[in-house]
Amino acid sequence: MTDPRELLREVVEIPSVSGEEEAVAERLVEYFEERGREAYVDDVGNVRAPGDDGVLLTSHMDTVPGDIPVREAAGELWGRGACDAKGPLSAMAVAAARTGASFVGVVGEEKDARGAHHLVETRDQPDAVINGEPSGWDAVTLGYRGFVKGVFDAKTPSAHTSRPGPNALEYAMDWWHDVEETFEAEGESSVFEQVTAKPLEMSGGVAEDGLAFEAHIDASFRVPPSSTVAAVEETAAAEVPTYVGEDADVGVTWVDSVPPVMASPRNAAATALRASIRAEGGETTHLRKTGTSDMNVYHGSWDCPMVTYGPGDSSLDHAPDERIDLAEYDRGVAVLTAAAERLL
């Protein structure tokens, strides 16, 4: 039978950029079936291996783009996804197969979290969740910021550039300047506790019909646990220019959001992982991450103990030198197996 390191190398060798996870999914189904476990691919491409819902072990199968030749060197496995998140994914598959815990490998985490959203819509809440992302074998992630995405649009009648008065692009620039200034004024604490505003795309100019001037900004706002999605939306919307003329159309539309999450270090999942890390000779570090993960989706829908954990150095996520230390991976497998046994 495939041993844990062999499984890791196999799934790393299979490309699985978001939207192309089928081959990795098939290999994981085979892995569970080889061990007498039921496993199948659901309607959106998630791999489900139903088991004891005392704990659900779940991580994502997709990666960001980037071709990194798969190789072993100095005790490390190199390859796209080795760290984020095929190391945690493989360790969880092994632990679930050994303990009988429920397992799900989800699709689309790097893009739109559609696998996680489908999961919470189509299955019952488990008793506990350990979400798989690289934290280091002796660290547990308790918190993530959420996010909200908005679209600012402005439209003004076309006019000669010699005429006074703002056009759509000026309205857009004014809005973004005021938004940045407002959130920067609030950001005197750690990055984790700040709202981070980032423009994702800007465009503007004369409309195709030549009768209007248009401007467009796609923006993303990271939401700390000390705030809410609604509060960030309200603050950003309040900065929409109010001095616009009667013939201008200006506004912001909110298109997507995920709430922030901050779990208690005393919840059952965190406690089980700490005890298991200690049994392997480690001292647990608790992490708070400035990004977002599928844990945000689960926390927004399920009221049960949950944390994020997985072997791997998160500073190598998406990097051109992405790799995972194989000894750390082995320890991660042992920690997850022991934590699942405790929770079951």
Side-chain angles (χ1 to χ4, degrees), residues 95-178:
R98 288 176 175 177
T99 64
S102 291
F103 170 88
V104 179
V106 297
V107 297
E109 191 273 345
E110 299 288 4
K111 190 173 183 181
D112 54 13
R114 66 190 183 96
H117 284 293
H118 184 73
L119 190 63
V120 299
E121 292 167 1
T122 56
R123 65 154 287 157
D124 293 336
Q125 173 182 297
D127 295 336
V129 176
I130 300 178
N131 179 56
E133 293 283 356
S135 60
W137 80 269
D138 56 354
V140 176
T141 302
L142 299 175
Y144 287 94
R145 292 192 296 179
F147 74 82
V148 56
K149 292 181 179 179
V151 178
F152 177 92
D153 284 302
K155 188 174 185 179
T156 54
S158 59
H160 196 279
T161 55
S162 65
R163 290 184 57 183
N167 63 23
L169 275 173
E170 290 171 290
Y171 287 136
M173 289 188 293
D174 285 352
W175 177 70
W176 189 251
H177 172 269
D178 292 344

Side-chain angles (χ1 to χ4, degrees), residues 2 83 89 135 222 281 298 314 328 332:
T2 307
C83 182
L89 174 75
S135 60
R222 294 290 178 173
Y298 304 139
S314 61
E328 175 166 332

Side-chain angles (χ1 to χ4, degrees), residues 154-159 168 205-215:
K155 188 174 185 179
T156 54
S158 59
V206 178
E208 288 186 10
D209 61 10
L211 301 179
F213 208 75
E214 299 175 332

Side-chain angles (χ1 to χ4, degrees), residues 172-260:
M173 289 188 293
D174 285 352
W175 177 70
W176 189 251
H177 172 269
D178 292 344
V179 163
E180 282 192 314
E181 192 173 69
T182 297
F183 286 121
E184 284 175 0
E186 296 177 356
E188 297 182 357
S189 54
S190 68
V191 174
F192 181 76
E193 291 296 342
Q194 296 176 21
V195 175
T196 301
K198 287 291 181 182
L200 305 178
E201 182 177 318
M202 293 182 174
S203 61
V206 178
E208 288 186 10
D209 61 10
L211 301 179
F213 208 75
E214 299 175 332
H216 176 93
I217 301 176
D218 285 345
S220 173
F221 302 84
R222 294 290 178 173
V223 184
S226 57
S227 185
T228 64
V229 167
V232 171
E233 289 179 348
E234 182 179 351
T235 299
E239 300 303 330
V240 171
T242 58
Y243 57 86
V244 297
E246 294 181 1
D247 52 359
D249 185 10
V250 179
V252 61
T253 304
W254 303 106
V255 297
D256 192 16
S257 67
V258 173

Side-chain angles (χ1 to χ4, degrees), residues 137-138 273-285 331 335:
W137 80 269
D138 56 354
L273 281 167
R274 272 199 309 276
S276 302
I277 290 168
R278 194 178 306 116
E280 286 294 310
E283 289 296 328
T284 306
T285 301
R331 279 181 150 175
V335 168

